[in-house]
Amino acid sequence: MLSTMQDGQLSLGRLLRHGTTVHSESEVITWTGSEARRETYGELGKHAAKLANALRSLGITGDQRVGTFMWNNAEHMAAYLAIPAMGAVLHTLNIRLFPEQLVFVANHAEDQVVIVDGTLVPLLAKQLPELKTVRHVIVANGDASTLPAPDGVQVHSYDELLAGQPDTFDWPEVDERSAAAMCYTSGTTGDPKGVAYSHRSIWLHSMQVTMTDSMRLAQHDKALAIVPMFHAMAWGMPYAALMVGASLLMPDRFLQPAPIAQMLDAEKPTFAGAVPTIWQGLLSHLDANPQDISHLREVVVGGSAAPPSLMHAFEDRYNVPILHAWGMTETSPLGSVARPPVSATGEKAWDYRYTQGRFPASVSARLIGDNGEELPWDNESVGELEVQGPWIAASYYGGKAGDEPDPEKFHDGWLRTGDVGKISPDGYLTLTDRAKDVIKSGGEWISSVDLENQVMAHPAVAEAAVVGIPDEKWDERPLVAVVLKEGQSVTAEELREFLSDKVAKWQLPENWTFVDEVPKTSVGKFDKKRLRAFHSEGKLDVSQL
Ligand code: ADP
């Protein structure tokens, strides 16, 4: 073998040293409801060192897990850096999990310490006695005395614990293939599954996030991370920001449309990321309370399909381009990004932008048919998407039982995404459904995503979710759950008529229900499992045309 290059580790300690010195003037800005508190990356470096020293003083060693039960804020950012850089493993706990799921994930990951935001103390307190491995809880941004300590658990005030700690830390050289962080899937279609990211996978993924044809995060950006830091690592924004010196605007607990509009106005971020339902909510707010948001050079939307009507509303009315992206907790999460090829302009460019996009060079993809055969990229053959690459999970974290790749999700080194769609010859992915949400009517598939997008294009519709319901004749037929915009009205007959020249006749839904709200998952996606349950329990008022 020829001798080649040095073999420095792509570790988060290296990233921390870089970001907090080279980009020491960039800032993490936390919204407090009416104004922002600011911390430079230089200060953040000292903050992280104090936190690492504090965690060592509590006995955290090796790759023990430290949980965070927090909003997006500067303290969460310090945890993002300190915990992996000291060699331990950051476990971001989803604050909106059902209680039994929270208990399951914290016990499964064997969290030793949990850092909790003061406003979330009441949520954690109820489950804390059941978290078997937790020995210490640290209360940030609030009053530690409000949390009763169960037997064997010590409760600390974040500020007091960090106050006496040195503001430097001898960050160890960590093996880049060791675990840096863990995130459990949000359980949209089943129990949460743990994904352990390595230092190397986070490093490579961060580089991708900053690439020009990807999310393009750069030094001149101020990035608003609405997507929670417990949802697929806030889509890679925190680490990527530190890599290039982009400032971060953190919304803390102020996630409703009005406070988001207020922080947009006050801080004028240039970039933002969130799931479609957040943008839909913001859009309704802006339509009633107009405001210039053109300081946003681009916003990334993923987690669910971005409706074309939403993309047009932001671009045509607010001069803010939406970048559609696809990913999963298991894919770090960046899997594909919809930037059109240079040759496509006008309407053609839009057609590319509606898709889930192209895969970066580090993500290989294939489509698998019903009989396990590989399907061509002809933009017609529909199958399950499988992906492979250095920031794609190789297995779920098995806990004490060990990491055996689950054959339902992993085979021959590929991740089975559970997403169904097609790929064009030039590599653009179009997802039609999750395998578990597919509607099979008379032997043919109906894409719920496509129907949703078409219904949401109606000017009176705020949101529309489509699920399959049992049908004697056709096995399944689509049911459309519609949320109307405030002050608007439209009938099921009118909506069906509106669809009549947009979808094939046999796909036209006859089952319609008008609801105040589509049930949402813990990360703000349409919860189709619950919608189907509502229907089977007779809780929906369905009109049949
Ligand atoms: P959960 O599976 O619990 O919702 P994730 O947040 O990891 O947790 O979700 C990943 C899934 O979200 C993908 O497998 C896919 O079904 C869906 N998804 C993500 N981005 C998109 C997108 N742009 N369009 C359609 N579906 C998407």
Side-chain angles (χ1 to χ4, degrees):
M1 219 207 277
L2 298 179
S3 56
T4 57
M5 315 311 265
Q6 298 177 5
D7 201 14
Q9 300 301 300
L10 302 177
S11 69
L12 295 191
R14 178 190 285 248
L15 182 64
L16 184 158
R17 270 194 297 271
H18 169 81
T20 58
T21 50
V22 171
H23 301 301
S24 63
E25 290 179 3
S26 302
E27 293 176 314
V28 54
I29 304 157
T30 307
W31 191 247
T32 65
S34 53
E35 53 180 17
R37 58 188 171 95
R38 320 182 91 83
E39 186 168 313
T40 65
Y41 284 181
E43 290 161 345
L44 179 67
K46 292 180 180 164
H47 182 170
K50 281 174 175 257
L51 177 58
N53 283 307
L55 290 169
R56 275 278 189 268
S57 77
L58 300 181
I60 288 297
T61 56
D63 62 0
Q64 286 183 329
R65 267 71 72 199
V66 177
T68 53
F69 196 74
M70 306 176 84
W71 304 109
N72 290 11
N73 54 34
E75 289 66 31
H76 208 165
M77 188 63 192
Y80 253 58
L81 295 179
I83 297 166
M86 71 188 281
V89 180
L90 164 76
H91 175 197
T92 55
L93 291 158
N94 180 337
I95 61 170
R96 300 198 191 92
L97 281 186
F98 291 117
E100 60 277 13
Q101 288 186 324
L102 173 66
V103 171
F104 169 79
V105 300
N107 287 341
H108 190 257
E110 297 172 76
D111 295 339
Q112 304 287 312
V113 174
V114 175
I115 309 173
V116 58
D117 268 320
T119 49
L120 297 170
V121 161
L123 264 185
L124 183 69
K126 279 186 242 150
Q127 267 60 59
L128 188 54
E130 293 174 65
L131 308 188
K132 300 289 178 233
T133 54
V134 172
R135 294 175 289 123
H136 299 274
V137 178
I138 307 171
V139 180
N141 304 310
D143 181 359
S145 69
T146 58
L147 179 59
D151 277 352
V153 177
Q154 287 179 41
V155 175
H156 311 264
S157 144
Y158 187 92
D159 292 342
E160 284 170 25
L161 189 66
L162 267 62
Q165 303 292 343
D167 63 8
T168 58
F169 189 89
D170 192 10
W171 304 109
E173 177 85 342
V174 175
D175 179 346
E176 66 179 27
R177 288 189 159 78
S178 61
M182 290 182 76
C183 189
Y184 281 70
T185 63
S186 59
T188 302
T189 57
D191 279 336
K193 304 274 188 344
V195 175
Y197 306 107
S198 65
H199 288 256
R200 175 185 154 87
S201 72
I202 290 176
W203 186 286
L204 296 173
H205 181 266
S206 303
M207 291 178 73
Q208 183 66 41
V209 168
T210 65
M211 282 175 76
T212 306
D213 273 335
S214 184
M215 276 158 64
R216 219 172 259 182
L217 209 63
Q219 187 186 186
H220 53 253
D221 275 319
K222 187 192 276 186
L224 170 59
I226 302 177
V227 49
M229 292 168 88
F230 56 74
H231 182 202
M233 307 304 285
W235 299 353
M237 283 198 262
Y239 293 125
L242 206 78
M243 191 172 257
V244 294
S247 286
L248 282 165
L249 174 58
M250 299 298 205
D252 201 82
R253 62 185 188 280
F254 304 99
L255 296 168
Q256 298 306 313
I260 290 177
Q262 200 189 348
M263 74 185 86
L264 287 176
D265 191 42
E267 287 294 329
K268 311 236 179 320
T270 59
F271 185 81
V275 293
T277 50
I278 293 271
W279 298 114
Q280 206 79 55
L282 184 64
L283 185 64
S284 306
H285 175 86
L286 291 175
D287 286 348
N289 311 273
Q291 156 182 337
D292 178 14
I293 56 164
S294 61
H295 45 84
L296 286 165
R297 66 165 175 79
E298 191 160 62
V299 300
V300 60
V301 176
S304 303
S309 52
L310 183 77
M311 297 177 73
H312 279 285
F314 272 97
E315 183 144 338
D316 303 345
R317 307 214 308 264
Y318 293 97
N319 202 15
V320 174
I322 284 185
L323 175 67
H324 190 196
W326 165 84
M328 310 169 67
T329 305
E330 294 87 336
T331 65
S332 287
L334 199 70
S336 63
V337 173
R339 291 203 186 277
V342 276
S343 57
T345 52
E347 277 308 305
K348 194 105 181 64
W350 274 107
D351 287 343
Y352 279 105
R353 290 179 56 194
Y354 301 149
T355 73
Q356 273 70 17
R358 276 199 283 209
F359 307 97
S362 303
V363 177
S364 305
R366 65 182 190 187
L367 276 182
I368 300 295
D370 280 348
N371 304 314
E373 76 284 18
E374 197 171 336
L375 301 175
W377 290 16
D378 56 9
N379 217 23
E380 277 176 19
S381 309
V382 173
E384 182 179 359
L385 173 68
E386 299 193 351
V387 290
Q388 189 185 55
W391 61 77
I392 311 294
S395 68
Y396 289 122
Y397 172 65
K400 287 201 181 91
D403 303 338
E404 269 303 307
D406 170 358
E408 289 251 310
K409 286 299 282 188
F410 303 94
H411 68 159
D412 1 306
W414 291 77
L415 168 75
R416 306 168 76 160
T417 64
D419 287 328
V420 174
K422 55 190 184 179
I423 303 178
S424 64
D426 51 355
Y428 284 81
L429 168 72
T430 299
L431 289 184
T432 47
D433 258 309
R434 286 182 188 243
K436 291 182 181 169
D437 293 333
V438 156
I439 304 169
K440 205 143 197 194
S441 173
E444 297 281 348
W445 284 3
I446 298 179
S447 164
S448 67
V449 173
D450 190 37
L451 276 182
E452 285 162 3
N453 285 344
Q454 301 289 1
V455 179
M456 282 192 269
H458 190 283
V461 175
E463 279 181 350
V466 175
V467 292
I469 56 170
D471 183 276
E472 262 180 30
K473 184 162 175 206
W474 304 106
D475 288 339
E476 274 189 326
R477 287 298 294 160
L479 163 70
V480 191
V482 179
V483 181
L484 292 177
K485 284 187 186 155
E486 227 177 284
Q488 302 272 354
S489 70
V490 64
T491 64
E493 286 82 0
E494 285 163 345
L495 284 174
R496 195 175 140 100
E497 177 58 32
F498 175 74
L499 292 189
S500 60
D501 59 350
K502 298 182 177 65
V503 303
K505 200 155 176 237
W506 62 274
Q507 299 194 351
L508 277 178
E510 48 286 299
N511 305 296
W512 296 79
T513 181
F514 289 85
V515 290
D516 293 337
E517 198 184 358
V518 175
K520 307 270 168 34
T521 70
S522 63
V523 292
K525 306 184 188 192
F526 291 161
D527 192 340
K528 298 195 177 181
K529 211 163 52 171
R530 256 165 73 212
L531 195 58
R532 279 189 291 262
F534 286 173
H535 175 261
S536 63
E537 292 159 11
K539 288 187 183 151
L540 299 176
D541 189 7
V542 178
S543 45
Q544 260 197 324
L545 304 182

